[in-house]
Amino acid sequence: MTLTAAVMTGAARSQPPTGDAGFLGILMLDTRFPRPPGDIGHPDTFDVPTRRHVVHGAWPAKVVQSAKSLRAARLLPAFLGAVQALQRDGALAITTSCGFLVLLQRELQAAAQVPVVTSSLLQLPGLLAGQPHVGVLTISASQLGAEHLLAAGVPPERLGDVIVQGVDPAGEFVTAILGNRETMDSRQAGADVVAAAVALKRRAPSLQAMVLECTNMPPYRQAIEAATGLKTWALTDDPRLTQPWR
C-alpha cells in the first residue's frame, strides 16, 4: 500500500499548541517522506502539546552520517538557532526527528535551559547497566559508529556490548527516507524493518532489548516485538519528553 506524505502525517490536523501549558519542541529534518502514526513527526504520536520546527537544509542523507561528515555539513548553527527559538517560544522540552543527532547532544543541551533529548540512543547507558548486551536497530549500520554511541554516554569499555543492525539499504524503508521521497509503500517498509530486527535477534539470541535509533521505526514497533519477542525502546519512551506535563 503506497501512501503519500500528506495522508500519512495527518498534516491538516496539525495545529500549533495553545494556552499556557507550554509544549514539546521537535526539531524536524527537512523532509517530505510520509510519517505514519507513531512516527516522531506525526501529530498524534505524543499526548502532550507539540510544536515542530523544520531545520531547512537538514536533509536525511545529510544528517545520517559519520561524526566527521556531519560536522563538515555545518548544520550545528542551524540546530542551535532552532533550539533557542523553540525555548524562547515556550518549549518545556526539546527533541529531534533523527537519532544520529546524538552527535550534537552536548552542544544543543548547553544552548538550552530545558531538557534536550536528541536520540533514543541516550537510553543505552541505563539499559546496559542492567543487561549484558543491548541491540540497536538503525537506518544505517554503515554510518552509525562508535562516535555516536560514545556521544550517547555508552562507556568505552561497553561499546562491544552494543549490537548494531541496519535495515536493508536497498529496501523501501531506507530508500524512501534517505531519498526523501513523497510516497512510501508502508507495508514493504514495515517488512524491511521487521526483517532487520529478526536478523539482529538471530545474531544475538540472548538479547532482551532493542533500541530503535530511527524515529521512523516506531510505527512498526508492535510487529517488531511480535516477530522477535524483544522489548523495544524508542525516543518516545524517554520520560524527560513528557515529565513537564506530569
Side-chain angles (χ1 to χ4, degrees):
M1 177 170 57
T2 301
L3 297 178
T4 64
V7 171
M8 294 180 75
T9 58
R13 294 181 289 112
S14 176
Q15 299 293 331
T18 59
D20 300 320
F23 58 88
L24 171 63
I26 305 176
L27 298 173
M28 299 292 297
L29 300 192
D30 195 346
T31 64
R32 59 180 184 173
F33 59 78
R35 294 182 176 275
D39 185 287
I40 197 79
H42 194 282
D44 294 337
T45 293
F46 289 96
D47 59 2
V48 300
T50 60
R51 182 178 297 178
R52 294 178 291 284
H53 183 117
V54 176
V55 180
H56 296 290
W59 301 294
K62 199 173 183 180
V63 175
V64 179
Q65 293 288 343
S66 66
K68 181 179 179 180
S69 296
L70 182 59
R71 300 288 181 190
R74 301 180 185 275
L75 291 173
L76 179 58
F79 279 99
L80 287 173
V83 163
Q84 292 164 348
L86 285 170
Q87 181 174 260
R88 185 170 57 248
D89 290 344
L92 300 182
I94 297 172
T95 189
T96 83
S97 70
C98 181
F100 277 70
L101 289 171
V102 71
L103 292 170
L104 306 183
Q105 173 67 32
R106 181 176 58 83
E107 293 94 331
L108 297 185
Q109 182 60 83
Q113 285 75 53
V114 299
V116 176
V117 182
T118 53
S119 175
S120 60
L121 298 177
L122 294 169
Q123 298 173 70
L124 282 171
L127 293 170
L128 285 167
Q131 301 177 33
H133 299 89
V134 177
V136 170
L137 196 62
T138 177
I139 195 170
S140 178
S142 66
Q143 297 297 339
L144 188 72
E147 62 267 38
H148 297 88
L149 303 182
L150 292 170
V154 174
E157 66 273 15
R158 298 297 306 273
L159 288 175
D161 297 328
V162 179
I163 315 300
V164 176
Q165 175 71 44
V167 182
D168 180 2
E172 178 70 8
F173 180 79
V174 174
T175 57
I177 292 173
L178 294 187
N180 207 11
R181 297 199 327 245
E182 291 185 346
T183 62
M184 179 170 65
D185 184 328
S186 60
R187 291 179 180 171
Q188 184 57 54
D192 292 345
V193 175
V194 170
V198 170
L200 175 58
K201 175 66 173 178
R202 188 180 301 118
R203 287 174 55 204
S206 63
L207 280 180
Q208 302 173 35
M210 177 189 306
V211 174
L212 306 180
E213 169 276 316
C214 181
T215 62
N216 312 117
M217 290 178 176
Y220 317 109
R221 189 175 191 174
Q222 186 175 1
I224 292 170
E225 293 185 343
T228 64
L230 294 178
K231 166 68 176 174
T232 60
W233 296 89
L235 183 57
T236 51
D237 295 317
D238 196 304
R240 290 171 291 180
L241 299 182
T242 54
Q243 191 65 41
W245 293 271
R246 292 177 178 170

